[in-house]
Amino acid sequence: MRVRIAGVVVAVLALAGCSTDDEPRPVPSASAAVAPSFAPGAEGAGDPYFPTYGNGGYDVAGYDLKLRYDPAKGRLQGTATITAGATQDLSDFHLDLAHLTTGKVTVDGRPATAKAEKNELIVTPAAGIVHGQRFTVVVEYAGEPKPLTNDALGVGGWLRTADGGFALGQPESASTWFPVNDHPSDKATFALAITVPAGVEAIGNGVPGPRTTADGWTTWTWTESKPMASYLATVVIGQYRVQTSTHDGKPVVTAIPESLPANGPAAKAMARTTEIADFLATRFGPYPFDAYGGVVIDDNRVGYALETQSRPVYGNVFFRTRPDATVVAHELAHQWYGDSVSLDRWQDIWLNEGFATYAEWLWQEHEGEQTAQQAFDRTYEGFDWKVPTGDPGPGRLFGEAVYQRGAMTVHALRKTIGDAAFFELLRSWPQSHSDGNATTVTFISDAERAAGRDLGDFFEAWLFGTTAPPRP
């Protein structure tokens, strides 16, 4: 599939591990007769916007973290066990790790050499790793975790609080608290066992596991068995009221800071989580994960919400005066659009944010606040069309062109192909690409298949034009 982008015909950009037809490259047998040609893995995943984010040469299958955090000292100690497969003959490879110091590192149980360079950890195993070989890396590390600052996008990662800390941020965050291939193109499962002082809560992604207390410390366990982009991993530590229940046989975990009223606006908004998820399931298909929930953070440094997988995190700014179910609809929509189906390169972030914003419009219509058409009409009037939604630039990932114009593109597509084809596409996209990654080119192909006709001119105008597209 080819598509015009900003007046130039281009093919799909392939990142590490992805071919131009969105199918994984075949992995040759490690026993092939060709002699290995070992070389270092790339120090970036090749993202056009952020070339040094992530790494090349391998594909992570899972992270298993055993951490201990002392809020009084702000100190984190951890052991990360990373299972991966080599996508080339590797002499060494990079992991992303910021501000933390490594100790012992092994590859397949044998001591390895590890060298820190800025926010990269270069691991040299005792012997080369052959293309297609599965291997296990164990990294022991410690230090005082600190956030990362992106000149265009602000602060992301670990932030310390008076009673704990939390890890949150987009497009990067994970490398501030564990060694990782920090790019969404390399999704992996995630297990967390984190030990904190007894009486302190520690909330993570996925399904809660056993909790044990000994010698004044409590270990909380969490498991996300569906592949997850690294920026969607989170841990929130502090004084929280944690409520657990079940919905459709799945655990529901919500956490509200003790600094907020027990029945205040934030708690009321979180109480609507499963109701909103059920509504979205009527539009997007079955809920894609094994757990539900949400976490509220009462911290002025967090003026946003983030779709951390299975358990979004919300800054209390949304709930200071009233329960804001709209933001809950937005972050829960990401569980389908952004989490289950993740972007393959940051340029395509409209696939996350445009659909999540449109979910707000659908929810508002459901609540009788305004119709999706009214939301479209109000947004269209006076909109600045200079920034293309499909290629906003690295400094505008979170701008109006991505969110609002993205949502208008979704609605314009609905009007262009009709409700029957549109809502079938809304359901088939998350199911066809579940637990994986996709691109704008893939979406255009799926939309054309649903519509039964070419939509090149439509997407060129709505995603890449710099003047107002005609109203559909």
Side-chain angles (χ1 to χ4, degrees):
M1 173 66 186
R2 294 162 72 90
V3 60
R4 278 187 72 84
I5 297 181
V8 180
V9 177
V10 299
V12 183
L13 173 67
L15 293 176
C18 297
S19 64
T20 54
D21 60 0
D22 290 316
E23 293 296 330
R25 292 192 180 104
V27 178
S29 169
S31 62
V34 178
S37 179
F38 296 111
E43 58 181 292
D47 192 298
Y49 281 8
F50 306 106
T52 62
Y53 282 16
N55 306 284
Y58 63 94
D59 181 78
V60 177
Y63 297 97
D64 188 344
L65 307 182
K66 292 179 172 55
L67 309 180
R68 183 183 181 97
Y69 184 68
D70 185 344
K73 298 178 180 178
R75 182 170 176 81
L76 179 72
Q77 292 177 284
T79 299
T81 300
I82 304 165
T83 55
T87 58
Q88 67 173 70
D89 294 330
L90 281 172
S91 60
D92 59 61
F93 57 90
H94 290 238
L95 292 166
D96 300 302
L97 185 65
H99 310 311
L100 298 169
T101 302
T102 58
K104 182 180 178 182
V105 178
T106 64
V107 176
D108 288 336
R110 301 175 65 186
T113 301
K115 178 183 178 182
E117 288 188 0
K118 296 182 179 179
N119 296 330
E120 300 270 333
L121 182 67
I122 305 170
V123 178
T124 304
I129 302 171
V130 177
H131 187 179
Q133 179 181 332
R134 301 279 288 186
F135 62 97
T136 300
V137 186
V138 179
V139 181
E140 297 178 359
Y141 62 101
E144 295 184 24
K146 298 174 184 177
L148 294 168
T149 300
N150 182 297
D151 291 340
L153 302 173
V155 173
W158 191 284
L159 291 171
R160 186 180 178 183
T161 65
D163 57 5
F166 56 87
L168 197 64
Q170 187 184 25
E172 56 182 344
S173 168
S175 64
T176 66
W177 60 293
F178 64 97
V180 59
N181 192 11
D182 206 1
H183 190 275
S185 61
D186 191 1
K187 299 172 69 170
T189 60
F190 185 81
L192 171 66
I194 182 161
T195 301
V196 294
V200 174
E201 286 70 44
I203 301 97
N205 303 86
V207 175
R211 192 187 318 166
T212 59
T213 300
D215 300 324
W217 293 80
T218 298
T219 300
W220 299 66
T221 58
W222 304 89
T223 302
E224 178 50 78
S225 61
K226 297 291 184 72
M228 178 167 64
S230 54
Y231 79 93
L232 300 173
T234 190
V235 63
V236 179
I237 301 166
Q239 299 296 320
Y240 286 83
R241 300 185 193 91
V242 180
Q243 294 188 343
T244 59
S245 59
T246 58
H247 181 71
D248 286 343
K250 299 179 178 181
V252 183
V253 181
T254 59
I256 309 295
E258 292 183 0
S259 58
L260 300 178
N263 196 34
K268 291 178 180 177
M270 291 300 95
R272 302 195 72 182
T273 292
T274 54
E275 173 195 357
I276 295 170
D278 285 349
F279 166 75
L280 294 176
T282 68
R283 303 298 189 267
F284 301 154
Y287 180 75
F289 298 117
D290 296 327
Y292 300 86
V295 181
V296 177
I297 292 182
D298 186 16
D299 191 308
N300 291 333
R301 293 171 294 179
V302 181
Y304 58 89
L306 186 63
E307 63 273 18
T308 45
Q309 191 157 307
S310 77
R311 192 154 297 112
V313 176
Y314 306 87
N316 188 49
V317 64
F318 295 102
F319 311 120
R320 283 179 178 158
T321 58
R322 63 184 178 84
D324 188 349
T326 303
V327 70
V328 178
H330 183 108
E331 303 308 331
L332 288 178
H334 277 309
Q335 305 306 303
W336 288 264
Y337 284 84
D339 292 13
S340 181
V341 185
S342 300
L343 51 79
D344 201 50
R345 56 181 184 176
W346 283 106
Q347 177 180 328
D348 293 329
I349 191 173
W350 82 275
L351 289 170
N352 297 9
E353 302 301 347
F355 282 89
T357 302
Y358 195 67
E360 295 182 33
W361 296 1
L362 294 175
W363 173 254
Q364 289 169 336
E365 184 171 274
H366 175 73
E367 290 284 274
E369 297 175 11
Q370 65 174 350
T371 66
Q373 184 64 50
Q374 289 170 331
F376 173 91
D377 291 338
R378 289 170 181 167
T379 308
Y380 186 96
E381 291 299 329
F383 193 81
D384 183 353
W385 301 92
K386 294 178 183 177
V387 179
T389 297
D391 192 6
R396 296 189 177 96
L397 290 184
F398 309 119
E400 295 294 293
V402 170
Y403 288 70
Q404 301 302 323
R405 183 173 169 178
M408 284 192 287
T409 300
V410 175
H411 188 72
L413 177 64
R414 175 182 177 180
K415 302 294 287 185
T416 299
I417 68 176
D419 274 11
F422 174 77
F423 283 106
E424 175 56 30
L425 177 63
L426 283 195
R427 290 186 291 270
S428 65
W429 171 261
Q431 293 176 33
S432 297
H433 306 286
S434 64
D435 299 332
N437 300 80
T439 66
T440 294
V441 171
T442 311
F443 181 78
I444 292 172
S445 178
D446 283 18
E448 289 180 336
R449 189 178 303 111
R453 59 190 173 93
D454 184 272
L455 296 170
D457 289 343
F458 170 86
F459 283 109
E460 174 66 21
W462 278 95
L463 291 180
F464 305 108
T466 55
T467 59
R471 291 174 183 263

